[in-house]
């Protein structure tokens, strides 16, 4: 079975979608088959960030309503083995991202690929979601407010996992990371971020102007940018490799 990774944030603007795009691309670049699902609904932008929005014909809502199968809603993008399924549209109404239908689709797709899901900001997963995913990568900036809300979200997920007796991992991902931002907004250092949130560090995705420009322009993730370099380490950790954080020292000067 492939790995099922949930990318989530407690607040908006935390870089969750961009981090999901780059981590998924890094996993595919390493030769793995990766399927990306946008569960954010109306405002979902994952397909756009992946440079595949214009190719969308079907979406997750069509799959759930039985209009098409999963393969019909997939769009190939970026690297070989990497594909994305767009979110539902306004015309299909609201679809609960942690519904049994969504979880069943994720389980079925994980039979032959890793699955990375971009989840709606500020939503609290239910027990079915905690049972479904192998890992929740909780994305956050390093200011105190973001860390406070991220800590609360992590506690909820951990409590749900304990209630249903599953071994779902909750990991911290510092996104749009910048030492200047950390100093300006009083977030302390990385160790303090880890202690505040109460979750093991999965990795750091630095602020990268090249990645940001590509995302805003609807261009697929940039293979040579700094965000991709760090995302390769995160992808390796997800796949079980031990990669030291200090392997990328430039961002911590």
């Amino acid at each position: 079975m492939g790995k099922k990774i949930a990318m989530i944030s407690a607040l908006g603007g935390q870089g969750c979608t961009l981090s999901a795009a780059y981590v998924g691309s890094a996993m595919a670049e390493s030769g793995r088959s990766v399927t990306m699902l946008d569960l954010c609904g109306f405002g979902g932008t994952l397909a756009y960030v992946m440079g595949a929005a214009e190719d969308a014909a079907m979406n997750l809502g069509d799959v759930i309503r039985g209009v098409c199968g999963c393969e019909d809603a997939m769009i190939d993008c970026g690297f070989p083995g990497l594909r994305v399924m767009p979110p539902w549209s306004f015309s299909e109404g609201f679809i609960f991202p942690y519904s049994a239908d969504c979880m069943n689709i994720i389980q079925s797709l994980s039979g032959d690929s890793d699955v990375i899901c971009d989840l709606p900001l500020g939503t609290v997963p239910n027990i079915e979601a905690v049972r479904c995913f192998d890992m929740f990568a909780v994305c956050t900036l390093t200011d105190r407010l973001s860390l406070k809300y991220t800590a609360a979200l992590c506690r909820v997920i951990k409590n749900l996992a304990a209630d249903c007796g599953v071994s779902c991992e909750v990991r911290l991902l510092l996104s749009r990371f910048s030492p200047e931002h950390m100093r300006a907004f009083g977030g302390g250092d990385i160790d303090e971020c880890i202690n505040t949130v109460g979750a093991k560090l999965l990795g750091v995705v630095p602020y990268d102007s090249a990645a940001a420009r590509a995302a805003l322009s609807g261009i697929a993730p940039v293979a040579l940018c700094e965000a991709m370099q760090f995302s390769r380490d995160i992808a390796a950790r997800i796949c079980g490799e031990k990669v030291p954080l200090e392997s990328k020292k430039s961002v911590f000067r």
Side-chain angles (χ1 to χ4, degrees), residues 56-86:
M58 298 294 181
N59 59 46
L60 179 63
D62 294 316
V63 176
I64 290 175
R65 292 186 293 114
V67 175
C68 67
C70 286
E71 296 300 321
D72 301 316
M74 294 295 181
I75 307 170
D76 293 328
C77 53
F79 299 91
L82 179 64
R83 54 189 189 165
V84 62
M85 184 187 294

Side-chain angles (χ1 to χ4, degrees), residues 110-171:
S110 68
D112 55 10
S113 74
D114 298 314
V115 182
I116 296 180
C117 296
D118 187 20
L119 296 173
L121 63 93
T123 57
V124 177
N126 58 15
I127 286 180
E128 293 304 317
V130 171
R131 284 176 175 155
C132 176
F133 289 109
D134 301 311
M135 177 189 294
F136 282 84
V138 187
C139 303
T140 182
L141 302 182
T142 55
D143 60 273
R144 295 189 184 279
L145 181 63
S146 297
L147 292 172
K148 176 183 176 181
Y149 278 91
T150 300
L153 178 60
C154 287
R155 285 196 298 271
V156 170
I157 298 173
K158 287 182 177 181
N159 289 339
L160 284 172
D163 289 343
C164 60
V166 298
S167 57
C168 174
E169 287 189 87
V170 181
R171 302 292 294 272

Side-chain angles (χ1 to χ4, degrees), residues 223-238:
L224 298 179
C225 71
E226 193 172 35
M228 180 64 88
Q229 294 175 31
F230 279 75
S231 295
R232 291 186 182 107
D233 284 357
I234 294 171
R237 294 185 190 111
I238 289 174

Side-chain angles (χ1 to χ4, degrees), residues 3 5 27 39 92 107 110 122 128 135 154 221 228:
K3 297 182 180 297
I5 310 299
M27 290 178 70
L39 298 182
E92 291 156 339
Q107 289 283 17
S110 68
E128 293 304 317
M135 177 189 294
C154 287
M228 180 64 88

